[in-house]
Amino acid sequence: MPLADVVRRVVREHKLAAFARMISFDVKAKPAIVIGDADKIRAILDNLLSNAIKYSPRSGVVAIELFAEDGNAVLDVADQGPGVDLEDRPRIFESFYQGKRAPEGRIKGSGLGLAIAREYAIAHGGRIELLDRADGRRGARFRLWLPLGAIDPGTPSTAAPATLQEDG
């Protein structure tokens, strides 16, 4: 399945929630084909995007980048929120674990979203990890790795990234 299409679909599904908080998306997606359960892969992306919106400040930007590297589709989702406390990082993917930082006035989740995302990633031969933001700014950055199924035959591998600007 073309992962960029799944990313764009999930972004569209979250457009109303993002709009309510004046959050915009900056999506840069290069072609990447992965093989797997479309619903489970969509659930991974849905969780990452939901969390990014939940923890982003009003008028923030959620950056989403998809590219291929070393036989994997790599998807980064970065927000401009408070980030994940250092003491929470080792446990962030555990079932029912909820970090200390909850956005003001927001209902805490079940603590299952990232655990499920991790299990789905592993089931597809991939992994998910929490990284520091590449630009050194505050916020959370999650990276999903999924094995490439094939290169999109309709797009040369040297193509420039397709950019989708979604304004909240």
Side-chain angles (χ1 to χ4, degrees):
M1 86 189 72
L3 192 54
D5 292 349
V6 178
V7 168
R8 287 184 184 96
R9 187 173 109 210
V10 172
V11 166
R12 278 193 307 272
E13 290 169 358
H14 286 276
K15 194 170 186 173
L16 185 60
F19 179 76
R21 302 200 55 237
M22 298 185 300
I23 293 169
S24 60
F25 298 108
D26 179 15
V27 181
K28 295 178 178 81
K30 290 187 178 181
I33 304 293
V34 296
I35 297 171
D37 183 319
D39 289 334
K40 287 186 168 98
I41 291 173
R42 193 198 65 70
I44 296 169
L45 303 181
D46 181 69
N47 179 270
L48 294 177
L49 219 54
S50 294
N51 283 348
I53 292 167
K54 179 179 179 180
Y55 287 95
S56 287
R58 289 185 69 78
S59 303
V61 176
V62 173
I64 303 162
E65 185 176 5
L66 173 64
F67 57 95
E69 180 179 289
D70 297 329
N72 291 287
V74 181
L75 178 78
D76 279 353
V77 177
D79 64 49
Q80 297 173 325
V84 178
D85 284 339
L86 287 176
E87 58 268 17
D88 290 331
R89 287 177 174 226
R91 300 187 61 203
I92 199 76
F93 295 104
E94 290 179 14
S95 295
F96 303 109
Y97 184 76
Q98 298 178 349
K100 294 174 190 70
R101 288 190 177 172
E104 293 179 24
R106 306 289 283 185
I107 298 170
K108 274 195 117 162
S110 65
L112 288 173
L114 288 174
I116 290 169
R118 179 179 176 266
E119 290 305 312
Y120 285 173
I122 291 169
H124 284 84
R127 70 183 189 274
I128 189 169
E129 56 193 351
L130 172 65
L131 303 172
D132 291 325
R133 283 187 48 132
D135 59 11
R137 293 183 179 173
R138 87 180 200 157
R141 175 175 156 222
F142 287 88
R143 176 169 279 181
L144 171 67
W145 300 78
L146 292 172
L148 284 172
I151 300 296
D152 186 344
T155 308
S157 60
T158 58
T163 301
L164 171 67
Q165 286 287 349
E166 295 271 348
D167 293 324

